[in-house]
PDB file of all heavy atoms in Angstrom:
ATOM      1  N   ASN A  72      -3.441  -6.650  26.022  1.00  0.00           N
ATOM      2  CA  ASN A  72      -2.997  -7.467  24.846  1.00  0.00           C
ATOM      3  C   ASN A  72      -3.133  -8.944  25.089  1.00  0.00           C
ATOM      4  O   ASN A  72      -3.066  -9.390  26.227  1.00  0.00           O
ATOM      5  CB  ASN A  72      -1.558  -7.170  24.524  1.00  0.00           C
ATOM      6  CG  ASN A  72      -1.292  -5.702  24.230  1.00  0.00           C
ATOM      7  OD1 ASN A  72      -0.833  -4.933  25.060  1.00  0.00           O
ATOM      8  ND2 ASN A  72      -1.632  -5.290  23.005  1.00  0.00           N
ATOM      9  N   ASN A  73      -3.301  -9.666  24.031  1.00  0.00           N
ATOM     10  CA  ASN A  73      -3.119 -11.143  24.030  1.00  0.00           C
ATOM     11  C   ASN A  73      -1.816 -11.469  23.349  1.00  0.00           C
ATOM     12  O   ASN A  73      -1.679 -11.177  22.151  1.00  0.00           O
ATOM     13  CB  ASN A  73      -4.268 -11.804  23.289  1.00  0.00           C
ATOM     14  CG  ASN A  73      -5.479 -12.099  24.169  1.00  0.00           C
ATOM     15  OD1 ASN A  73      -5.320 -12.222  25.398  1.00  0.00           O
ATOM     16  ND2 ASN A  73      -6.621 -12.211  23.600  1.00  0.00           N
ATOM     17  N   PHE A  74      -0.911 -12.108  24.097  1.00  0.00           N
ATOM     18  CA  PHE A  74       0.351 -12.513  23.486  1.00  0.00           C
ATOM     19  C   PHE A  74       0.899 -13.596  24.389  1.00  0.00           C
ATOM     20  O   PHE A  74       1.623 -13.359  25.340  1.00  0.00           O
ATOM     21  CB  PHE A  74       1.347 -11.325  23.412  1.00  0.00           C
ATOM     22  CG  PHE A  74       2.388 -11.389  22.329  1.00  0.00           C
ATOM     23  CD1 PHE A  74       3.024 -10.248  21.891  1.00  0.00           C
ATOM     24  CD2 PHE A  74       2.756 -12.601  21.736  1.00  0.00           C
ATOM     25  CE1 PHE A  74       4.001 -10.275  20.877  1.00  0.00           C
ATOM     26  CE2 PHE A  74       3.698 -12.668  20.731  1.00  0.00           C
ATOM     27  CZ  PHE A  74       4.338 -11.498  20.303  1.00  0.00           C
ATOM     28  N   TYR A  75       0.411 -14.809  24.121  1.00  0.00           N
ATOM     29  CA  TYR A  75       0.647 -15.943  25.047  1.00  0.00           C
ATOM     30  C   TYR A  75       2.100 -16.323  25.204  1.00  0.00           C
ATOM     31  O   TYR A  75       2.481 -16.962  26.199  1.00  0.00           O
ATOM     32  CB  TYR A  75      -0.180 -17.143  24.605  1.00  0.00           C
ATOM     33  CG  TYR A  75      -1.604 -17.058  25.113  1.00  0.00           C
ATOM     34  CD1 TYR A  75      -2.489 -16.098  24.638  1.00  0.00           C
ATOM     35  CD2 TYR A  75      -2.087 -17.930  26.100  1.00  0.00           C
ATOM     36  CE1 TYR A  75      -3.767 -15.978  25.112  1.00  0.00           C
ATOM     37  CE2 TYR A  75      -3.358 -17.823  26.600  1.00  0.00           C
ATOM     38  CZ  TYR A  75      -4.189 -16.858  26.107  1.00  0.00           C
ATOM     39  OH  TYR A  75      -5.493 -16.733  26.633  1.00  0.00           O
ATOM     40  N   GLU A  76       2.944 -15.880  24.295  1.00  0.00           N
ATOM     41  CA  GLU A  76       4.369 -16.146  24.435  1.00  0.00           C
ATOM     42  C   GLU A  76       4.921 -15.448  25.685  1.00  0.00           C
ATOM     43  O   GLU A  76       6.017 -15.766  26.190  1.00  0.00           O
ATOM     44  CB  GLU A  76       5.137 -15.674  23.218  1.00  0.00           C
ATOM     45  CG  GLU A  76       4.989 -16.544  21.962  1.00  0.00           C
ATOM     46  CD  GLU A  76       3.731 -16.316  21.182  1.00  0.00           C
ATOM     47  OE1 GLU A  76       2.777 -15.692  21.692  1.00  0.00           O
ATOM     48  OE2 GLU A  76       3.680 -16.725  19.996  1.00  0.00           O
ATOM     49  N   PHE A  77       4.152 -14.449  26.168  1.00  0.00           N
ATOM     50  CA  PHE A  77       4.582 -13.722  27.389  1.00  0.00           C
ATOM     51  C   PHE A  77       3.687 -14.078  28.571  1.00  0.00           C
ATOM     52  O   PHE A  77       3.901 -13.544  29.668  1.00  0.00           O
ATOM     53  CB  PHE A  77       4.555 -12.229  27.141  1.00  0.00           C
ATOM     54  CG  PHE A  77       5.552 -11.816  26.108  1.00  0.00           C
ATOM     55  CD1 PHE A  77       5.148 -11.422  24.814  1.00  0.00           C
ATOM     56  CD2 PHE A  77       6.910 -11.839  26.343  1.00  0.00           C
ATOM     57  CE1 PHE A  77       6.057 -11.072  23.824  1.00  0.00           C
ATOM     58  CE2 PHE A  77       7.823 -11.475  25.400  1.00  0.00           C
ATOM     59  CZ  PHE A  77       7.416 -11.101  24.128  1.00  0.00           C
ATOM     60  N   GLY A  78       2.658 -14.880  28.394  1.00  0.00           N
ATOM     61  CA  GLY A  78       1.754 -15.240  29.486  1.00  0.00           C
ATOM     62  C   GLY A  78       0.329 -15.093  29.072  1.00  0.00           C
ATOM     63  O   GLY A  78       0.003 -14.536  28.023  1.00  0.00           O
ATOM     64  N   ILE A  83       0.903  -7.746  29.587  1.00  0.00           N
ATOM     65  CA  ILE A  83       2.234  -8.265  29.244  1.00  0.00           C
ATOM     66  C   ILE A  83       3.107  -7.231  28.539  1.00  0.00           C
ATOM     67  O   ILE A  83       4.196  -7.511  28.075  1.00  0.00           O
ATOM     68  CB  ILE A  83       2.147  -9.507  28.351  1.00  0.00           C
ATOM     69  CG1 ILE A  83       1.260  -9.287  27.098  1.00  0.00           C
ATOM     70  CG2 ILE A  83       1.607 -10.721  29.106  1.00  0.00           C
ATOM     71  CD1 ILE A  83       1.827  -8.544  25.983  1.00  0.00           C
ATOM     72  N   ALA A  87       6.939  -7.672  27.219  1.00  0.00           N
ATOM     73  CA  ALA A  87       7.166  -7.757  25.784  1.00  0.00           C
ATOM     74  C   ALA A  87       8.201  -6.717  25.358  1.00  0.00           C
ATOM     75  O   ALA A  87       9.109  -7.002  24.615  1.00  0.00           O
ATOM     76  CB  ALA A  87       5.835  -7.588  25.033  1.00  0.00           C
ATOM     77  N   LEU A  91      11.464  -8.628  23.824  1.00  0.00           N
ATOM     78  CA  LEU A  91      11.422  -8.883  22.376  1.00  0.00           C
ATOM     79  C   LEU A  91      12.351  -7.919  21.655  1.00  0.00           C
ATOM     80  O   LEU A  91      12.196  -6.694  21.727  1.00  0.00           O
ATOM     81  CB  LEU A  91       9.985  -8.724  21.882  1.00  0.00           C
ATOM     82  CG  LEU A  91       9.747  -8.896  20.350  1.00  0.00           C
ATOM     83  CD1 LEU A  91      10.207 -10.305  19.891  1.00  0.00           C
ATOM     84  CD2 LEU A  91       8.283  -8.732  20.002  1.00  0.00           C
ATOM     85  N   THR A 165       5.017 -17.198  14.112  1.00  0.00           N
ATOM     86  CA  THR A 165       5.734 -16.327  15.011  1.00  0.00           C
ATOM     87  C   THR A 165       7.152 -16.904  15.145  1.00  0.00           C
ATOM     88  O   THR A 165       7.313 -18.137  15.193  1.00  0.00           O
ATOM     89  CB  THR A 165       5.030 -16.279  16.362  1.00  0.00           C
ATOM     90  OG1 THR A 165       3.737 -15.760  16.171  1.00  0.00           O
ATOM     91  CG2 THR A 165       5.759 -15.430  17.390  1.00  0.00           C
ATOM     92  N   PHE A 172      10.790 -15.128  24.067  1.00  0.00           N
ATOM     93  CA  PHE A 172       9.389 -15.436  24.387  1.00  0.00           C
ATOM     94  C   PHE A 172       9.388 -16.507  25.490  1.00  0.00           C
ATOM     95  O   PHE A 172       9.401 -17.711  25.212  1.00  0.00           O
ATOM     96  CB  PHE A 172       8.687 -16.010  23.133  1.00  0.00           C
ATOM     97  CG  PHE A 172       8.591 -15.033  21.982  1.00  0.00           C
ATOM     98  CD1 PHE A 172       9.141 -15.362  20.760  1.00  0.00           C
ATOM     99  CD2 PHE A 172       7.894 -13.852  22.102  1.00  0.00           C
ATOM    100  CE1 PHE A 172       9.038 -14.495  19.680  1.00  0.00           C
ATOM    101  CE2 PHE A 172       7.769 -12.969  21.031  1.00  0.00           C
ATOM    102  CZ  PHE A 172       8.340 -13.298  19.821  1.00  0.00           C
ATOM    103  N   ALA A 211       6.114  -3.810  20.632  1.00  0.00           N
ATOM    104  CA  ALA A 211       6.408  -5.259  20.806  1.00  0.00           C
ATOM    105  C   ALA A 211       5.148  -6.003  21.181  1.00  0.00           C
ATOM    106  O   ALA A 211       4.817  -7.078  20.612  1.00  0.00           O
ATOM    107  CB  ALA A 211       7.501  -5.426  21.881  1.00  0.00           C
ATOM    108  N   GLN A 212       4.397  -5.482  22.160  1.00  0.00           N
ATOM    109  CA  GLN A 212       3.231  -6.211  22.651  1.00  0.00           C
ATOM    110  C   GLN A 212       2.116  -6.367  21.619  1.00  0.00           C
ATOM    111  O   GLN A 212       1.284  -7.232  21.732  1.00  0.00           O
ATOM    112  CB  GLN A 212       2.702  -5.486  23.912  1.00  0.00           C
ATOM    113  CG  GLN A 212       2.195  -4.079  23.715  1.00  0.00           C
ATOM    114  CD  GLN A 212       3.258  -2.984  23.886  1.00  0.00           C
ATOM    115  OE1 GLN A 212       4.430  -3.283  23.684  1.00  0.00           O
ATOM    116  NE2 GLN A 212       2.824  -1.805  24.234  1.00  0.00           N
ATOM    117  N   ASN A 213       2.135  -5.544  20.585  1.00  0.00           N
ATOM    118  CA  ASN A 213       1.150  -5.687  19.506  1.00  0.00           C
ATOM    119  C   ASN A 213       1.643  -6.519  18.368  1.00  0.00           C
ATOM    120  O   ASN A 213       0.983  -6.631  17.323  1.00  0.00           O
ATOM    121  CB  ASN A 213       0.667  -4.307  19.036  1.00  0.00           C
ATOM    122  CG  ASN A 213      -0.058  -3.525  20.104  1.00  0.00           C
ATOM    123  OD1 ASN A 213       0.504  -2.739  20.852  1.00  0.00           O
ATOM    124  ND2 ASN A 213      -1.339  -3.810  20.270  1.00  0.00           N
ATOM    125  N   GLY A 214       2.881  -7.041  18.496  1.00  0.00           N
ATOM    126  CA  GLY A 214       3.304  -8.051  17.488  1.00  0.00           C
ATOM    127  C   GLY A 214       4.381  -7.562  16.536  1.00  0.00           C
ATOM    128  O   GLY A 214       4.497  -8.063  15.420  1.00  0.00           O
ATOM    129  N   LYS A 231       1.189 -12.677  15.496  1.00  0.00           N
ATOM    130  CA  LYS A 231       2.141 -11.568  15.770  1.00  0.00           C
ATOM    131  C   LYS A 231       3.583 -12.000  15.489  1.00  0.00           C
ATOM    132  O   LYS A 231       3.927 -13.156  15.450  1.00  0.00           O
ATOM    133  CB  LYS A 231       2.013 -11.206  17.248  1.00  0.00           C
ATOM    134  CG  LYS A 231       0.652 -10.588  17.602  1.00  0.00           C
ATOM    135  CD  LYS A 231       0.556 -10.281  19.110  1.00  0.00           C
ATOM    136  CE  LYS A 231      -0.636  -9.423  19.366  1.00  0.00           C
ATOM    137  NZ  LYS A 231      -0.734  -9.035  20.787  1.00  0.00           N
ATOM    138  N   SER A 232       4.471 -10.963  15.393  1.00  0.00           N
ATOM    139  CA  SER A 232       5.911 -11.196  15.330  1.00  0.00           C
ATOM    140  C   SER A 232       6.253 -12.326  14.343  1.00  0.00           C
ATOM    141  O   SER A 232       6.964 -13.260  14.665  1.00  0.00           O
ATOM    142  CB  SER A 232       6.468 -11.465  16.721  1.00  0.00           C
ATOM    143  OG  SER A 232       6.130 -10.403  17.606  1.00  0.00           O
TER     144      SER A 232
END
Side-chain angles (χ1 to χ4, degrees):
N72 300 100
N73 272 335
F74 206 160
Y75 276 68
E76 285 83 342
F77 296 106
I83 53 77
L91 178 58
T165 299
F172 297 120
Q212 62 272 25
N213 295 94
K231 294 178 167 181
S232 304

